Amino acid sequence: YRSEKDEFDWTNRSYLVDGYEVFPFGSSDDLPKEIRDVVANNDSAPGKLKKKTGLLWGKGPKLYAERFENGKLIRDWQDDKTISAWMEDWDAESYLLKSCVDYHHIENVATKLYRGKGGRIGKPSIARLEHMNINQARKARRAGSASPEATHCLFSVDQYEKNLIQGDYKVYSLFNYKDPFAKRNSVHFSNMPSFISDHYALPDIFGSLEWLKLSTSIPVIFKAFAKNSINLKYHIISPQMFWDAKKKELEKLRADKGETYKEQDLLDFKKDFLGKVQKTLSNKENTGKFWHSVKHFMVEGHNLLEQGWEIKPLDQKIKEFIEGNVKIWETANRALGSNLGFHSSLGGGSENGKSDSGSEQIYAMKNYLLTGIDIPESIVTKTINYAIKANWPSTNLKVGFYHDHPQSESETTAAQRIKNAV
């Protein structure tokens, strides 16, 4: 490694592994793991990301062809038994769902492609695709290569923790869509392009990591507060001369009975006496009762000393403490939602926790379908669409996610509303 100059210096660094120049993913090459840990420990991030995955998934992956009608781009959803059978053979839905999850967490998807055995008889094809753990896959190139582009993928066989040197790894060439059958196995990385970051996408959630860590700490703070705080309501100040006088009384009582005074006698008296004071101040049945004491003034030199019982209510400002931390939590949630481009109403409620109106939810959903899914869909389905084009060069079919477009009550007929209710 070269020494880091700033938090993003890793985007143009590399390290050597057995003749390969490996490009790190994160300042410590563990950004996927860091995002996983931060998200998993947060109370709201997993739900928001799962909701975004569900919104992108819609009714699931389907085949479609595009055409123009009156200057408007139309998707014709179709069924092709040959392509559908190929997808079912290797469970394409499971692969695409895992890819959706990876995209929404880190905006990077890694896929391993397997070439079919038909190449031996002059009929090459891509047999199947396999989702790869993005935490174990790193882009690389041969050391000393003149090209700045990554040409290989180093995949850690063991669960990736720090870097590939710590365990066994496999090397794959990167997939070339212009020559899709060149390698028996190859790896394709599909990701959202990032500004001045050549090899991996810098996910939007990266900017919210500190907010997520801060909001995650709030429940821990509350738990520690509830466990360790002393819930005091009053501060009772007693005069020493009161206890001195009681000590003399107890000593005299013991002497009159021919017994020896013990310090425990005064401790027992204190416990019993303060127990009665506690009962008077805290018992709900004592509402309206009061505590009375007499102050004693004593002259000592030129000073007038005041001695007497004092009971002072304590304000621990618990309300302010809780409200302050809740505001931090709410701010963190707003920052996360804003960073993810996720409208609060799509999560089932507004920022104040109340449900938004139906019209606002429909508007947010329509806006998301118009502007929020095209790029994510193209990234998630990019590899499988390359494979379809390679296997069936003459087809114009692609895989996309089917969505029902929401309609308000005024846009539907009574018969449709009854049908939808059933």
Side-chain angles (χ1 to χ4, degrees):
Y1 287 95
R2 292 190 292 106
S3 61
E4 291 185 54
K5 297 179 181 178
D6 54 53
E7 191 174 9
F8 299 102
D9 192 47
W10 57 269
T11 57
N12 60 7
R13 289 191 293 114
S14 61
Y15 58 90
L16 291 177
V17 177
D18 298 335
Y20 286 95
E21 188 179 354
V22 182
F23 301 106
F25 199 173
S27 58
S28 298
D29 198 16
D30 62 351
L31 183 59
K33 184 173 180 291
E34 180 183 1
I35 289 177
R36 180 202 66 185
D37 294 344
V38 173
V39 168
N41 288 311
N42 190 263
D43 66 311
S44 61
K48 289 181 182 294
L49 292 172
K50 188 176 292 185
K51 187 71 173 180
K52 285 203 73 175
T53 299
L55 289 170
L56 175 60
W57 185 262
K59 297 294 184 180
K62 308 295 178 185
L63 293 168
Y64 72 92
E66 292 181 327
R67 62 181 175 84
F68 283 97
E69 184 178 293
N70 298 325
K72 184 178 181 181
L73 184 63
I74 303 295
R75 279 190 178 186
D76 279 334
W77 297 96
Q78 301 180 18
D79 183 26
D80 185 289
K81 292 183 178 180
T82 303
I83 298 177
S84 296
W86 171 75
M87 292 174 62
E88 291 174 4
D89 187 57
W90 52 272
D91 196 3
E93 282 199 0
S94 177
Y95 157 77
L96 288 168
L97 184 56
K98 292 176 182 177
S99 299
C100 285
V101 172
D102 279 5
Y103 176 81
H104 285 112
H105 279 76
I106 203 163
E107 296 177 25
N108 290 264
V109 179
T111 304
K112 183 178 179 181
L113 297 95
Y114 292 80
R115 189 180 64 189
K117 296 179 180 179
R120 300 174 182 176
I121 58 174
K123 295 181 179 181
S125 66
I126 295 174
R128 61 190 177 94
L129 277 59
E130 182 181 289
H131 170 268
M132 298 182 78
N133 188 334
I134 196 66
N135 197 42
Q136 296 171 256
R138 293 293 181 270
K139 289 184 178 181
R141 66 185 174 196
R142 294 191 183 277
S145 173
S147 172
E149 300 294 327
T151 55
H152 291 77
C153 167
L154 268 64
F155 183 79
S156 174
V157 177
D158 302 320
Q159 177 60 31
Y160 191 91
E161 287 298 332
K162 180 63 177 175
N163 58 52
L164 296 165
I165 298 175
Q166 292 184 344
D168 295 333
Y169 63 90
K170 293 183 178 180
V171 181
Y172 300 100
S173 295
L174 293 187
F175 175 75
N176 181 2
Y177 71 94
K178 294 181 179 179
D179 190 6
F181 310 122
K183 302 293 181 179
R184 185 178 68 177
N185 301 124
S186 57
V187 173
H188 183 246
F189 285 87
S190 180
N191 57 268
M192 170 71 81
S194 290
F195 182 63
I196 318 181
S197 178
D198 295 332
H199 304 294
Y200 309 100
L202 189 63
D204 290 340
I205 201 172
F206 183 84
S208 298
L209 286 181
E210 293 304 320
W211 276 116
L212 285 174
K213 293 175 184 178
L214 186 60
S215 67
T216 300
S217 69
I218 302 301
V220 179
I221 292 173
F222 284 163
K223 181 179 179 180
F225 177 78
K227 181 179 180 181
N228 301 316
S229 65
I230 303 176
N231 190 14
L232 299 177
K233 191 174 182 180
Y234 299 101
H235 178 202
I236 300 176
I237 304 173
S238 62
Q240 183 59 43
M241 67 178 300
F242 174 83
W243 302 113
D244 292 341
K246 289 301 177 183
K247 180 179 179 180
K248 291 180 180 179
E249 290 181 16
L250 293 172
E251 288 175 341
K252 186 176 182 304
L253 288 173
R254 286 289 189 183
D256 291 344
K257 295 179 180 181
E259 298 173 351
T260 303
Y261 169 80
K262 299 177 182 178
E263 288 297 325
Q264 187 63 41
D265 294 338
L266 181 59
L267 293 176
D268 291 341
F269 174 80
K270 283 183 177 181
K271 183 177 180 181
D272 180 65
F273 185 84
L274 292 176
K276 293 177 181 178
V277 175
Q278 178 188 13
K279 184 178 180 180
T280 300
L281 294 176
S282 61
N283 196 328
K284 64 181 181 180
E285 296 178 356
N286 288 336
T287 303
K289 292 187 177 182
F290 60 89
W291 171 265
H292 171 261
S293 66
V294 177
K295 286 187 180 293
H296 177 77
F297 295 92
M298 181 175 63
V299 178
E300 186 175 287
H302 295 287
N303 298 321
L304 181 64
L305 303 180
E306 177 183 327
Q307 294 197 23
W309 287 86
E310 291 185 56
I311 300 177
K312 298 180 178 180
L314 289 179
D315 184 4
Q316 298 189 70
K317 300 188 182 299
I318 295 177
K319 181 181 178 182
E320 290 82 355
F321 172 78
I322 293 176
E323 288 179 347
N325 281 280
V326 168
K327 286 183 179 179
I328 294 175
W329 177 83
E330 291 175 345
T331 303
N333 277 341
R334 286 196 295 270
L336 175 63
S338 176
N339 206 356
L340 294 177
F342 187 75
H343 195 283
S344 59
S345 64
L346 294 179
S350 61
E351 292 179 358
N352 60 12
K354 297 180 180 179
S355 296
D356 287 321
S357 65
S359 59
E360 186 171 357
Q361 293 182 44
I362 291 174
Y363 176 80
M365 184 62 178
K366 287 183 176 181
N367 186 56
Y368 175 77
L369 292 176
L370 287 173
T371 62
I373 66 170
D374 290 341
I375 292 177
E377 181 191 72
S378 68
I379 293 171
V380 170
T381 62
K382 190 172 187 176
T383 309
I384 191 172
N385 284 328
Y386 274 153
I388 290 174
K389 195 65 178 177
N391 286 350
W392 296 276
S394 61
T395 187
N396 61 347
L397 294 179
K398 295 181 179 180
V399 172
F401 296 109
Y402 183 87
H403 293 86
D404 286 329
H405 287 266
Q407 292 181 313
S408 64
E409 291 295 297
S410 60
E411 294 174 320
T412 59
T413 64
Q416 288 176 320
R417 288 195 290 270
I418 294 174
K419 183 178 178 181
N420 293 336
V422 174

